[in-house]
């Protein structure tokens, strides 16, 4: 009986079945479409509605963009070409305004040739050959070089020397003047570092911090100018000076954005740490500054920088308008940055602080090695959002009389040749801002993926 039962029991397969290809409807493009766009009745309806809406938008935008006029010197000429080509002036862009004024939209009234800063706009000086706008273009190239070792770990570490020098090269290249001005400005930071280093050994940490902050201020306020004059009298090296009134266009937005973004991050870190400090005076000062700045619109701060700040300065004081705007925009961004970083600090578990204490690290070592790297990693989306916001807010300077790209667009539209042009100018401006903002957003996502250490 047992033998009969053994022959009727199912057996275990000793050989594997050959692998079969997955169904064609579950992999590849078709599989992605079925899973993401047509996974159900509701998703299918929404997908079809979205496709119809996109088609409706593109059917108007694409013909307007590409069935357009590029070779025209005025809006009237544009319309004449449209009538001769398509028999209608509607639904066609007049990109001739961009071809005619793109240099002005990018550089404002900045002199194109460094040897002759008073040369007419776009006119090469006789007897000289210079690459047009070499100074702002060189400044942009050096910016990319300086950012490379900061943003990408694969970049050569020697480029950090360019990163350290760039904050002093930028104002010298853009505004010109003696080469000794940025050198003496950099010397102030060296003096501050040495004063803190030796003061910490002899006077303690607090004494070193006071010496490191006081001596550079004394150097910049009282000693730097005589040193610059003396060095200039011995060896005069410099660039032709450019007035701030000549700055404008997209170049002005980049300069303001780079300075505000670059300076606001370290100030925001200090304010965030100060807000969590156990020292009552430090904490209340940081809280008061952050809440005041965050409670006031940026346009109000810009009006203060433009109109009211001179009233509180000694008579005859010449405080550059762009420098005033830079300071206000930096302080505004730093207040928001402090709150973003404070959120990252609050998100860290208490065990991270206890672990730093168990290792015997002091406060600054713990912040530098354990706490702040994790807080900044958590805060990456908020930090980049703040960067993007402050860069777009640079367009507000047109309200206080600076000819940024928006102000120049209005000036171009006031010209009788281009009176009536609207969409083409702002489409071009929107594209310029989109390139920078989209790049920052993509880098933020790349950095989050690179620093991802948790389980997906």
């Amino acid at each position: 009986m047992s033998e009969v039962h053994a022959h009727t029991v199912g057996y275990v397969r000793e050989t594997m079945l050959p692998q079969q290809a997955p169904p064609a409807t579950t992999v590849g493009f078709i599989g992605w479409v079925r899973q993401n766009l047509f996974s159900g009745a509701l998703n299918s309806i929404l997908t079809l509605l979205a496709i119809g809406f996109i088609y409706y938008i593109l059917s108007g935008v694409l013909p307007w963009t590409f069935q357009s006029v590029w070779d025209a010197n005025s809006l009237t000429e544009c319309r004449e070409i449209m009538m001769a080509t398509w028999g209608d002036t509607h639904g066609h862009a007049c990109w001739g305004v961009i071809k005619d004024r793109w240099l002005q939209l990018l550089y404002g009234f900045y002199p194109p040739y460094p040897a002759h800063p008073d040369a007419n706009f776009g006119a090469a000086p006789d007897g000289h050959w210079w690459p047009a706008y070499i100074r702002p273009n060189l400044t942009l190239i050096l910016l990319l070089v300086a950012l490379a070792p900061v943003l990408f770990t694969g970049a050569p570490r020697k480029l950090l020397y360019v990163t350290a020098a760039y904050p002093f090269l930028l104002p010298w290249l853009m505004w010109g003047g003696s080469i000794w001005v940025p050198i003496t400005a950099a010397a102030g930071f060296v003096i501050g570092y040495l004063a803190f280093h030796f003061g910490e050994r002899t006077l303690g940490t607090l004494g070193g911090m006071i010496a490191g902050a006081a001596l550079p201020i004394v150097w910049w306020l009282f000693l730097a100018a005589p040193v610059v004059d003396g060095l200039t009298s011995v060896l005069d090296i410099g660039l032709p000076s450019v007035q701030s009134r000549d700055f404008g266009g997209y170049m002005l937005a980049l300069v303001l954005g780079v300075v505000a973004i670059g300076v606001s991050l370290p100030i925001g870190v200090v304010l965030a740490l100060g807000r969590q400090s156990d020292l009552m005076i430090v904490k209340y000062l940081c809280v008061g500054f952050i809440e005041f700045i965050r409670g006031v619109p940026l346009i109000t701060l810009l009006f203060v920088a433009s109109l009211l700040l001179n009233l509180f300065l000694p008579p005859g004081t010449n405080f550059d308008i762009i420098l005033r705007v830079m300071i206000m925009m930096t302080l505004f961004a730093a207040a928001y940055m402090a709150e973003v970083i404070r959120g990252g600090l609050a998100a860290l578990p208490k065990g991270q602080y206890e672990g730093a204490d168990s290792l015997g690290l002091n406060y600054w070592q713990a912040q530098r090695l354990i706490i702040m790297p994790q807080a900044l990693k958590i805060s990456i989306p908020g930090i980049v959002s703040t960067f993007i916001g402050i860069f777009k807010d640079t367009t507000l300077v047109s309200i206080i009389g600076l000819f940024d790209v928006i102000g120049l667009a209005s000036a171009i539209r006031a010209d009788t040749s281009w009176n009536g042009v609207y969409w083409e100018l702002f489409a071009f401006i929107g594209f310029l801002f989109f390139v920078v903002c989209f790049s920052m957003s993509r880098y933020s996502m790349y950095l989050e993926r690179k620093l991802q250490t948790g389980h997906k």
Side-chain angles (χ1 to χ4, degrees), residues 252-253 256-257 329 389-398 404 433:
L252 178 60
L256 294 176
M329 294 190 69
I390 196 64
F391 180 67
K392 292 189 294 186
D393 285 343
T394 56
T395 55
L396 293 176
V397 300
S398 61
D404 76 318
F433 277 92

Side-chain angles (χ1 to χ4, degrees), residues 296-351:
V296 177
L298 177 59
I299 188 61
T300 303
L301 298 177
L302 294 179
F303 273 116
V304 170
S306 175
L307 302 175
L308 300 180
L309 193 59
N310 281 338
L311 299 178
F312 300 96
L313 296 175
T317 303
N318 184 17
F319 200 176
D320 189 87
I321 179 62
I322 294 183
L323 180 59
R324 284 179 271 164
V325 171
M326 284 180 179
I327 293 173
M328 288 300 179
M329 294 190 69
T330 300
L331 296 179
F332 182 82
Y336 282 86
M337 195 68 64
E339 289 299 280
V340 171
I341 296 173
R342 186 172 69 91
L345 293 171
L348 288 180
K350 187 177 180 181

Side-chain angles (χ1 to χ4, degrees), residues 43-314:
N43 281 352
S44 300
I45 294 173
L46 293 176
T47 297
L48 293 175
L49 291 175
I51 292 174
F53 178 75
I54 293 173
Y55 174 78
Y56 172 76
I57 296 297
L58 294 181
S59 63
V61 172
L62 293 180
W64 178 82
T65 303
F66 295 103
Q67 294 180 0
S68 54
V69 178
W70 282 92
D71 296 322
N73 296 319
S74 66
L75 182 59
T76 302
E77 186 178 349
C78 260
R79 289 172 176 170
E80 292 175 354
I81 296 174
M82 291 176 189
M83 288 296 298
T85 306
W86 297 286
D88 190 6
T89 59
H90 297 286
H92 308 285
C94 180
W95 297 115
V97 63
I98 304 301
K99 184 178 180 181
D100 184 43
R101 299 297 184 94
W102 70 277
L103 285 175
Q104 193 172 7
L105 288 171
L106 291 180
Y107 301 102
F109 301 102
Y110 197 90
Y113 301 102
H116 295 269
D118 298 327
N120 294 329
F121 182 83
D126 295 335
H128 296 272
W129 183 90
W130 289 94
Y133 301 103
I134 183 174
R135 285 166 60 173
N137 291 338
L138 179 60
T139 305
L140 178 60
I141 293 172
L142 289 177
L143 171 64
L144 300 178
V145 174
L147 289 177
V150 178
L151 301 181
F152 303 102
T153 54
R157 295 293 93 186
K158 291 184 179 180
L159 293 180
L160 287 172
Y161 293 109
V162 181
T163 305
Y166 187 78
F168 309 99
L169 291 175
L170 184 148
W172 179 65
L173 288 173
M174 295 301 298
W175 276 271
S178 174
I179 186 61
W180 303 114
V181 174
I183 291 177
T184 53
F189 290 94
V190 176
I191 292 172
Y193 172 78
L194 295 176
F196 172 77
H197 181 70
F198 292 106
E200 186 179 23
R201 291 183 176 182
T202 57
L203 304 175
T205 303
L206 182 60
M209 294 177 62
I210 295 175
L215 289 182
I217 294 176
V218 172
W219 167 262
W220 289 324
L221 291 180
F222 303 105
L223 301 177
V227 171
V228 169
D229 294 337
L231 293 174
T232 303
S233 62
V234 176
L235 184 60
D236 189 5
I237 303 175
L239 293 173
S241 298
V242 178
Q243 301 298 320
S244 292
R245 63 176 179 269
D246 296 328
F247 281 63
Y250 196 59
M251 178 191 69
L252 178 60
L254 286 175
V255 171
L256 294 176
V258 167
V259 173
I261 289 172
V263 182
S264 64
L265 181 58
I267 295 178
V269 171
V270 173
L271 289 173
L273 295 177
R275 185 160 188 164
Q276 295 186 332
S277 174
D278 295 330
L279 298 175
M280 183 178 299
I281 296 178
V282 174
K283 180 178 180 178
Y284 286 163
L285 285 175
C286 293
V287 171
F289 173 83
I290 293 171
E291 296 302 328
F292 172 76
I293 295 295
R294 293 177 70 238
V296 177
L298 177 59
I299 188 61
T300 303
L301 298 177
L302 294 179
F303 273 116
V304 170
S306 175
L307 302 175
L308 300 180
L309 193 59
N310 281 338
L311 299 178
F312 300 96
L313 296 175

